[in-house]
Amino acid sequence: MNDKSPLKTQNVEVKWVKRKKGEIKKGLKNKQTAQTLIILISGKFALRLPKRDKEFILSEEGDFVSFDAGTCAHESEALEDCHVIVIKWPSLPDNV
């Protein structure tokens, strides 16, 4: 996210994300220092936390998942074309 965006401060970062069906994104940085909240707006979205052996499927508008700063390895997949809002706090350069 552009550092000059009013939606990004040192305290919080808000992203609107559009994904096409089949898109997979891996977040595997070692320094995840932010709490993360993902809210489904439309479509169907999967979040996997391999180290915790958990998978969350967001399929209804408003479904959400949150994970803590200690969770660095994660993977997301658009199971359908989807829109999600991602909120991270704090917003720091080393966060995935």
Side-chain angles (χ1 to χ4, degrees), residues 11-28:
N11 298 320
V12 69
E13 180 176 336
V14 180
K15 297 181 193 179
W16 174 270
V17 179
K18 292 168 78 171
R19 297 267 178 85
K20 293 287 186 188
K21 181 179 180 178
E23 266 186 74
I24 295 174
K25 181 180 177 199
K26 294 185 180 191
L28 298 172

Side-chain angles (χ1 to χ4, degrees), residues 32-76:
Q32 177 72 29
T33 55
Q35 298 284 111
T36 302
L37 172 66
I38 301 170
I39 306 166
L40 182 69
I41 303 303
S42 66
K44 193 171 183 180
F45 183 84
L47 178 77
R48 298 179 190 96
L49 304 176
K51 288 186 178 182
R52 295 187 180 172
D53 196 28
K54 293 195 178 206
E55 178 178 58
F56 302 91
I57 305 295
L58 308 181
S59 59
E60 299 288 328
E61 293 178 10
D63 281 356
F64 67 92
V65 65
S66 179
F67 54 97
D68 62 26
T71 305
C72 55
H74 62 279
E75 177 180 284
S76 62

